Structure formats: structure tokens, C-alpha cells
Amino acid sequence: MNYKLFSLFVLSFICLSFTSLSTSKEIKNNLTDPKLVASNAKVSLEAKCKSFYNSIQSNELSLPNYESFSKAFEGYNELKKQGIIEKEILTIVDFSLSSNEERMWVINMTTKEIILRSLVAHGRNSGELFANDFSNKSESYQSSLGFYTTGETYVGKHGLSLRLDGLEYGINDHARDRAVVVHGADYVSEEFIKANGRLGRSQGCPAVPNEISKELIELIKDKSCLFIYHPSRNYY
């Protein structure tokens, strides 16, 4: 091999080595860059969410809006990963909807089916037909948004009731102290709507019709996820 050919060979080898090292470094940086990792995780989660949503068995019940479902799905998976919730049941309350609509959904996340849909009340100081104002304060008589884990049951003035623990500091973490619970109420019914033009309102509790309250509470009690959505609040 003459000198010129040998020199060209060495130069080509060095260039290829630098290119390989540069490519390896770039791949490594892409794998560890926090922004890229977060972006890739977000894309993966969105794809997973859309796939799940499109495969839900509605059992002849309409699905929740995708916007509220996607926020609930993301939070549910994170809480499940952290071990904060145990039951594979997700309850979504969509306060962007009129109180005259059935705006509560209970979804079995294992079988991917809606197992219950219901009317649900908001707090008397949160609004009339629509809920617009929310609070974490005692005696506010307003609903609180965000993620909750369901607790234990008890029998109170509304019969069988279910305690809730708010998981978001400053948003709903006073739920237990405020006695914000799931319970049945006679003002949550189609008859009340027909007589008054809107659903009745609670003191801040997500109250439900008496006829389904026991079934609902038994389904979601003991460490399942409940999410109360409103578009005025951003989730990341």
C-alpha cells in the first residue's frame, strides 16, 4: 500500500470514528435530556389515552368528553404508579356540564367499560345551573376541583356516605375536614329538575341520587380515584 492510500485510509477511519462518537453522544443526550424525555413520555401517554378512550365499552351510555377523560386518565395512572390508589376504578365528574345532565361517570379501568353514569350536585355557592366558583375553605359551600382518593364509609344524616381525601394542596386537601363526602340526596333527581328547572345543590359535596347512592359508594369506596374536572383549571 503506497503512502497516499495509507494516509487516506487513516483519515477516513478517524472521520468515521469521530462521526460514530458524535452520533453516540447525540443519542445519549437525547435519551437523557429532560425536555426530550418529558416530550416523548407525553406523546406516549397521549397515544395510550386515545387508544384506551376509543376502546371503552359504553354499555349504551355516552362517554365523558375526551378533554375531561384525558386529564383524569393521566392523573389516575400517576396515582396508581405511586400506590396512592388501589382500586382500578376511575370516577369522573365533569363540572363543565350543566347540572341537569348526567355528568358523573364510573369506569372500570380493567375491563374498559362504563359501569355507571349519574346526576351529581355541586355546591350551592359554586353556581346555579352551572358550577363556576370553587373553594377549599370550610363553610364556603362551594365544590372543590381536582383528584381525590375515596376513603371509608359511614352512616350519617344522609344514610350511607363515603369520605373523600383531597390530594391537591390548596385545591381540595381540606375535603375531609370540610366533610365533603359522597352521599345520596332527594334534591338530586329528574323530579327536582322538572319542578325547579335545575338540579338541587349541596354544601360542597358531590351528592348523587338516593336510588343509586349505595351502589355507587360500594363500587368506588376504599382507595379508588375520583376526579372533579372544570376547564378553568389547567393540569400538567
Side-chain angles (χ1 to χ4, degrees):
M1 179 182 295
N2 64 39
Y3 178 77
K4 288 184 178 180
L5 287 175
F6 179 75
S7 299
L8 183 61
F9 174 78
V10 171
L11 182 61
S12 299
F13 179 79
I14 291 172
C15 289
L16 285 172
S17 297
F18 275 117
T19 301
S20 179
L21 287 170
S22 177
T23 302
S24 298
K25 186 177 180 180
E26 184 178 348
I27 292 171
K28 185 178 180 181
N29 287 340
N30 287 344
L31 291 173
T32 57
D33 185 296
K35 290 183 179 180
L36 286 172
V37 170
S39 178
N40 291 337
K42 183 178 180 181
V43 170
S44 176
L45 182 63
E46 286 177 354
K48 183 179 178 183
C49 181
K50 286 179 181 178
S51 175
F52 191 104
Y53 184 80
N54 291 331
S55 64
I56 293 175
Q57 300 175 51
S58 66
N59 292 325
E60 300 184 352
L61 300 169
S62 67
L63 299 179
N65 293 332
Y66 182 76
E67 180 65 20
S68 60
F69 176 81
S70 63
K71 307 302 183 190
F73 183 84
E74 182 175 357
Y76 167 86
N77 279 282
E78 183 61 31
L79 293 171
K80 188 75 174 173
K81 184 168 65 176
Q82 294 180 23
I84 294 172
I85 57 173
E86 297 173 0
K87 275 188 170 179
E88 298 200 9
I89 297 288
L90 171 60
T91 303
I92 301 172
V93 175
D94 186 351
F95 276 162
S96 71
L97 302 176
S98 161
S99 61
N100 291 355
E101 296 183 52
E102 292 184 327
R103 52 185 180 169
M104 171 185 276
W105 289 262
V106 181
I107 303 171
N108 185 318
M109 300 297 281
T110 302
T111 60
K112 299 182 180 180
E113 63 179 327
I114 296 175
I115 49 181
L116 189 147
R117 188 183 176 197
S118 173
L119 294 167
V120 59
H122 57 253
R124 66 176 67 164
N125 288 338
S126 281
E128 295 283 335
L129 185 61
F130 287 87
N132 297 304
D133 300 301
F134 308 98
S135 175
N136 194 32
K137 295 179 180 178
S138 297
E139 308 302 321
S140 66
Y141 298 149
Q142 292 183 354
S143 298
S144 298
L145 302 176
F147 287 91
Y148 298 78
T149 183
T150 61
E152 72 280 10
T153 62
Y154 70 98
V155 177
K157 65 180 181 180
H158 296 290
L160 184 67
S161 304
L162 175 65
R163 298 191 192 279
L164 299 173
D165 291 297
L167 300 175
E168 301 190 55
Y169 178 76
I171 302 297
N172 62 16
D173 59 319
H174 292 165
R176 184 172 282 259
D177 292 339
R178 292 178 61 201
V180 173
V181 302
V182 177
H183 65 77
D186 55 11
Y187 55 77
V188 186
S189 65
E190 294 290 348
E191 291 72 22
F192 191 97
I193 293 172
K194 289 175 183 177
N196 297 276
R198 61 162 173 77
L199 198 69
R201 295 164 300 160
S202 68
Q203 293 184 348
C205 298
V208 297
N210 279 322
E211 59 266 26
I212 64 102
S213 61
K214 185 175 181 181
E215 176 190 3
L216 171 68
I217 288 169
E218 290 297 328
L219 275 172
I220 70 174
K221 68 179 183 180
D222 299 330
K223 300 292 184 182
S224 76
C225 178
L226 184 147
F227 174 59
I228 300 180
Y229 168 81
H230 191 269
S232 63
R233 176 136 192 259
N234 291 322
Y235 284 88
Y236 298 98

Coordinates of all heavy atoms in Angstrom, one line a residue, residues 36-89:
L36 N -36.6 16.3 26.3 CA -36.9 15.3 25.3 C -37.6 14.1 25.9 O -38.6 13.5 25.4 CB -35.7 14.9 24.5 CG -35.1 15.9 23.5 CD1 -33.8 15.4 23.0 CD2 -36.1 16.1 22.4
V37 N -37.1 13.7 27.1 CA -37.7 12.6 27.8 C -39.2 12.9 28.2 O -40.1 12.1 28.0 CB -36.9 12.3 29.1 CG1 -37.7 11.3 30.0 CG2 -35.5 11.7 28.7
A38 N -39.4 14.1 28.7 CA -40.8 14.5 29.0 C -41.7 14.6 27.8 O -42.8 14.2 27.8 CB -40.7 15.9 29.7
S39 N -41.1 15.1 26.7 CA -41.9 15.2 25.5 C -42.3 13.8 24.9 O -43.4 13.6 24.5 CB -41.1 16.0 24.4 OG -41.8 16.1 23.2
N40 N -41.3 12.9 24.9 CA -41.6 11.6 24.5 C -42.6 10.9 25.3 O -43.4 10.1 24.9 CB -40.3 10.8 24.4 CG -39.3 11.2 23.3 OD1 -39.8 11.9 22.3 ND2 -38.0 11.0 23.5
A41 N -42.5 11.1 26.7 CA -43.4 10.5 27.6 C -44.8 11.0 27.4 O -45.8 10.2 27.4 CB -43.0 10.7 29.0
K42 N -44.9 12.3 27.1 CA -46.2 12.9 26.9 C -46.9 12.3 25.6 O -48.1 12.0 25.6 CB -46.1 14.4 26.7 CG -47.4 15.2 26.5 CD -47.2 16.7 26.4 CE -48.5 17.4 26.3 NZ -48.4 18.8 26.2
V43 N -46.1 12.2 24.5 CA -46.6 11.6 23.3 C -47.1 10.2 23.5 O -48.1 9.8 23.0 CB -45.5 11.7 22.2 CG1 -45.9 10.9 21.0 CG2 -45.2 13.1 21.8
S44 N -46.3 9.4 24.3 CA -46.6 8.0 24.5 C -47.9 8.0 25.4 O -48.8 7.1 25.1 CB -45.5 7.4 25.3 OG -45.8 6.1 25.7
L45 N -48.0 8.9 26.4 CA -49.2 8.9 27.2 C -50.5 9.3 26.4 O -51.5 8.7 26.6 CB -49.0 9.8 28.4 CG -50.2 9.9 29.4 CD1 -50.4 8.5 30.1 CD2 -49.9 11.0 30.4
E46 N -50.3 10.3 25.5 CA -51.5 10.7 24.7 C -51.9 9.6 23.8 O -53.1 9.4 23.6 CB -51.0 11.9 23.9 CG -50.9 13.2 24.7 CD -50.5 14.4 23.9 OE1 -50.1 14.2 22.7 OE2 -50.4 15.5 24.4
A47 N -51.0 8.8 23.2 CA -51.4 7.7 22.4 C -52.1 6.6 23.2 O -53.1 6.1 22.7 CB -50.1 7.2 21.7
K48 N -51.6 6.4 24.4 CA -52.2 5.4 25.2 C -53.6 5.8 25.6 O -54.5 5.0 25.7 CB -51.3 5.2 26.5 CG -51.8 4.1 27.4 CD -50.8 4.0 28.6 CE -51.3 2.9 29.6 NZ -50.4 2.9 30.8
C49 N -53.7 7.1 26.0 CA -55.0 7.6 26.4 C -56.0 7.5 25.3 O -57.2 7.1 25.5 CB -54.8 9.1 26.8 SG -56.4 9.8 27.4
K50 N -55.7 7.9 24.0 CA -56.6 7.9 22.9 C -57.0 6.5 22.6 O -58.2 6.2 22.3 CB -55.9 8.5 21.7 CG -55.9 10.0 21.8 CD -55.2 10.7 20.6 CE -55.1 12.2 20.7 NZ -54.4 12.8 19.5
S51 N -56.0 5.5 22.7 CA -56.3 4.1 22.4 C -57.3 3.6 23.4 O -58.3 2.9 23.1 CB -55.0 3.3 22.4 OG -55.3 1.9 22.3
F52 N -57.1 3.9 24.7 CA -58.0 3.5 25.8 C -59.4 4.1 25.6 O -60.4 3.3 25.7 CB -57.4 3.9 27.1 CG -58.1 3.3 28.3 CD1 -57.5 2.2 29.0 CD2 -59.4 3.7 28.7 CE1 -58.2 1.7 30.1 CE2 -60.0 3.1 29.8 CZ -59.4 2.1 30.5
Y53 N -59.4 5.4 25.3 CA -60.7 6.1 25.2 C -61.5 5.4 24.0 O -62.8 5.2 24.2 CB -60.5 7.5 24.9 CG -61.7 8.4 24.8 CD1 -62.4 8.8 26.0 CD2 -62.2 8.8 23.6 CE1 -63.5 9.6 25.9 CE2 -63.4 9.6 23.5 CZ -64.0 10.0 24.7 OH -65.1 10.8 24.6
N54 N -60.9 5.1 22.9 CA -61.6 4.6 21.8 C -62.0 3.1 22.0 O -62.8 2.6 21.2 CB -60.7 4.7 20.5 CG -60.5 6.1 20.1 OD1 -61.3 7.0 20.2 ND2 -59.3 6.4 19.4
S55 N -61.5 2.5 23.0 CA -61.8 1.1 23.2 C -62.8 0.9 24.4 O -63.1 -0.2 24.8 CB -60.6 0.3 23.5 OG -59.9 0.7 24.7
I56 N -63.2 2.0 25.0 CA -64.2 2.0 26.1 C -65.5 1.4 25.7 O -66.1 1.8 24.7 CB -64.4 3.3 26.8 CG1 -63.1 3.8 27.5 CG2 -65.5 3.3 27.8 CD1 -63.2 5.2 28.0
Q57 N -66.0 0.4 26.4 CA -67.3 -0.1 26.2 C -68.3 0.8 26.9 O -68.3 0.9 28.2 CB -67.4 -1.5 26.7 CG -66.5 -2.5 26.0 CD -66.5 -3.9 26.6 OE1 -67.6 -4.5 26.7 NE2 -65.4 -4.4 27.0
S58 N -69.2 1.4 26.2 CA -70.1 2.4 26.8 C -71.3 1.8 27.5 O -71.9 2.4 28.3 CB -70.6 3.4 25.8 OG -71.4 2.8 24.8
N59 N -71.6 0.6 27.1 CA -72.8 -0.1 27.6 C -74.1 0.8 27.4 O -74.9 1.0 28.3 CB -72.7 -0.4 29.1 CG -71.6 -1.5 29.3 OD1 -71.5 -2.4 28.5 ND2 -70.9 -1.4 30.4
E60 N -74.1 1.4 26.2 CA -75.2 2.3 25.8 C -75.3 3.6 26.6 O -76.3 4.2 26.6 CB -76.6 1.5 25.8 CG -76.6 0.3 24.9 CD -77.9 -0.4 24.9 OE1 -78.8 0.0 25.7 OE2 -78.1 -1.3 24.0
L61 N -74.2 3.9 27.3 CA -74.1 5.2 27.9 C -73.1 6.1 27.2 O -72.1 5.6 26.7 CB -73.6 5.0 29.4 CG -74.5 4.1 30.3 CD1 -73.8 3.8 31.6 CD2 -75.8 4.8 30.6
S62 N -73.4 7.4 27.1 CA -72.4 8.2 26.4 C -71.1 8.3 27.2 O -71.1 8.2 28.4 CB -73.0 9.6 26.2 OG -73.2 10.3 27.4
L63 N -70.0 8.5 26.4 CA -68.7 8.7 27.1 C -68.5 10.1 27.6 O -69.1 11.0 27.2 CB -67.6 8.4 26.0 CG -67.6 7.0 25.3 CD1 -66.4 7.0 24.3 CD2 -67.4 5.9 26.4
P64 N -67.6 10.2 28.6 CA -67.3 11.6 29.1 C -66.6 12.3 27.9 O -66.0 11.6 27.0 CB -66.3 11.3 30.2 CG -65.8 9.9 30.0 CD -66.9 9.2 29.4
N65 N -66.5 13.6 28.0 CA -65.8 14.4 27.0 C -64.3 13.9 27.0 O -63.8 13.7 28.1 CB -65.9 15.9 27.2 CG -67.3 16.4 27.0 OD1 -68.1 15.8 26.2 ND2 -67.7 17.4 27.7
Y66 N -63.7 13.9 25.9 CA -62.3 13.5 25.8 C -61.4 14.4 26.7 O -60.4 13.9 27.3 CB -61.7 13.4 24.4 CG -60.3 12.9 24.4 CD1 -60.0 11.6 24.5 CD2 -59.2 13.8 24.2 CE1 -58.7 11.1 24.5 CE2 -57.9 13.3 24.2 CZ -57.7 12.0 24.3 OH -56.4 11.5 24.3
E67 N -61.6 15.7 26.7 CA -60.8 16.6 27.5 C -60.8 16.2 29.0 O -59.7 16.2 29.6 CB -61.3 18.0 27.3 CG -60.5 19.1 28.1 CD -59.1 19.3 27.6 OE1 -58.8 18.9 26.4 OE2 -58.3 19.8 28.3
S68 N -62.0 16.0 29.6 CA -62.0 15.6 31.0 C -61.4 14.3 31.2 O -60.7 14.0 32.2 CB -63.4 15.7 31.5 OG -64.3 14.8 30.8
F69 N -61.7 13.3 30.2 CA -61.1 12.0 30.4 C -59.6 12.0 30.3 O -59.0 11.3 31.1 CB -61.7 11.1 29.3 CG -61.1 9.7 29.3 CD1 -61.6 8.7 30.2 CD2 -60.1 9.3 28.5 CE1 -61.0 7.5 30.3 CE2 -59.5 8.1 28.6 CZ -60.0 7.1 29.5
S70 N -59.0 12.7 29.4 CA -57.6 12.7 29.3 C -56.9 13.2 30.5 O -55.9 12.6 30.9 CB -57.1 13.5 28.1 OG -57.5 14.9 28.2
K71 N -57.4 14.2 31.2 CA -56.8 14.7 32.4 C -57.0 13.7 33.5 O -56.1 13.4 34.3 CB -57.5 16.0 32.9 CG -57.5 17.1 31.8 CD -56.2 17.5 31.3 CE -56.2 18.7 30.4 NZ -55.0 19.0 29.7
A72 N -58.2 13.1 33.6 CA -58.4 12.0 34.6 C -57.5 10.8 34.4 O -57.0 10.3 35.3 CB -59.9 11.6 34.5
F73 N -57.3 10.4 33.1 CA -56.5 9.3 32.8 C -55.1 9.5 33.2 O -54.5 8.6 33.8 CB -56.6 9.0 31.3 CG -55.9 7.8 30.8 CD1 -56.5 6.5 30.8 CD2 -54.6 7.9 30.2 CE1 -55.8 5.4 30.4 CE2 -54.0 6.8 29.8 CZ -54.6 5.5 29.8
E74 N -54.6 10.7 32.9 CA -53.2 10.9 33.3 C -53.0 10.9 34.8 O -52.0 10.3 35.3 CB -52.8 12.3 32.7 CG -51.3 12.7 33.0 CD -50.9 14.0 32.3 OE1 -51.8 14.6 31.6 OE2 -49.8 14.4 32.5
G75 N -53.9 11.6 35.5 CA -53.8 11.6 37.0 C -53.9 10.2 37.6 O -53.2 9.8 38.5
Y76 N -54.9 9.5 37.1 CA -55.2 8.1 37.5 C -53.9 7.2 37.4 O -53.5 6.5 38.4 CB -56.3 7.5 36.8 CG -56.4 6.0 37.0 CD1 -57.2 5.4 38.0 CD2 -55.8 5.1 36.1 CE1 -57.3 4.1 38.2 CE2 -55.9 3.7 36.3 CZ -56.7 3.2 37.3 OH -56.8 1.9 37.5
N77 N -53.3 7.3 36.3 CA -52.1 6.5 36.0 C -50.9 6.9 37.0 O -50.2 6.0 37.5 CB -51.6 6.5 34.6 CG -52.4 5.6 33.7 OD1 -52.2 4.4 33.6 ND2 -53.4 6.2 33.0
E78 N -50.8 8.2 37.2 CA -49.7 8.6 38.1 C -50.0 8.2 39.5 O -49.1 7.7 40.2 CB -49.6 10.2 38.0 CG -48.5 10.7 38.8 CD -47.1 10.2 38.4 OE1 -46.9 9.9 37.2 OE2 -46.2 10.1 39.3
L79 N -51.2 8.3 40.0 CA -51.6 7.9 41.3 C -51.5 6.4 41.5 O -51.1 6.0 42.6 CB -53.0 8.4 41.7 CG -53.2 9.9 41.7 CD1 -54.7 10.3 41.8 CD2 -52.4 10.5 42.9
K80 N -51.8 5.7 40.5 CA -51.7 4.2 40.5 C -50.2 3.9 40.6 O -49.8 3.0 41.4 CB -52.3 3.6 39.2 CG -52.4 2.1 39.2 CD -53.5 1.7 40.1 CE -53.7 0.2 40.0 NZ -54.7 -0.4 40.9
K81 N -49.4 4.5 39.9 CA -47.9 4.3 39.9 C -47.3 4.5 41.3 O -46.4 3.8 41.7 CB -47.2 5.1 38.8 CG -45.7 4.8 38.7 CD -45.2 5.5 37.4 CE -45.3 7.0 37.5 NZ -44.7 7.6 36.3
Q82 N -47.8 5.6 41.9 CA -47.3 6.0 43.2 C -47.9 5.1 44.4 O -47.5 5.2 45.5 CB -47.6 7.4 43.5 CG -46.9 8.4 42.6 CD -47.2 9.8 42.9 OE1 -47.7 10.2 44.0 NE2 -47.0 10.7 41.9
G83 N -48.9 4.3 44.0 CA -49.5 3.4 45.1 C -50.5 4.1 45.9 O -50.9 3.6 47.0
I84 N -50.9 5.4 45.5 CA -51.9 6.1 46.3 C -53.3 5.6 46.2 O -54.1 5.6 47.1 CB -51.8 7.6 45.9 CG1 -50.4 8.2 46.3 CG2 -52.9 8.4 46.6 CD1 -50.2 9.6 45.8
I85 N -53.6 5.1 45.0 CA -54.9 4.4 44.8 C -54.7 2.9 44.6 O -53.6 2.5 44.1 CB -55.7 5.0 43.6 CG1 -54.9 5.0 42.3 CG2 -56.1 6.5 44.0 CD1 -55.7 5.4 41.1
E86 N -55.7 2.1 44.9 CA -55.5 0.7 44.8 C -56.5 0.1 43.9 O -56.2 -0.8 43.1 CB -55.6 0.1 46.2 CG -54.5 0.5 47.2 CD -54.7 0.1 48.6 OE1 -55.7 -0.7 48.9 OE2 -53.9 0.4 49.5
K87 N -57.8 0.5 43.9 CA -58.8 0.0 43.1 C -58.6 0.5 41.6 O -58.3 1.7 41.4 CB -60.2 0.4 43.6 CG -60.8 -0.5 44.6 CD -62.2 -0.1 44.9 CE -62.9 -1.1 45.8 NZ -64.3 -0.7 46.1
E88 N -58.9 -0.4 40.7 CA -58.8 0.0 39.3 C -60.2 0.6 38.8 O -60.8 0.1 37.8 CB -58.3 -1.1 38.4 CG -56.9 -1.5 38.9 CD -56.2 -2.3 37.8 OE1 -56.7 -2.4 36.7 OE2 -55.1 -2.9 38.1
I89 N -60.7 1.6 39.5 CA -61.9 2.2 39.2 C -61.6 3.7 39.1 O -61.0 4.3 40.0 CB -63.0 2.0 40.3 CG1 -63.3 0.5 40.4 CG2 -64.2 2.8 40.1 CD1 -64.2 0.0 39.3

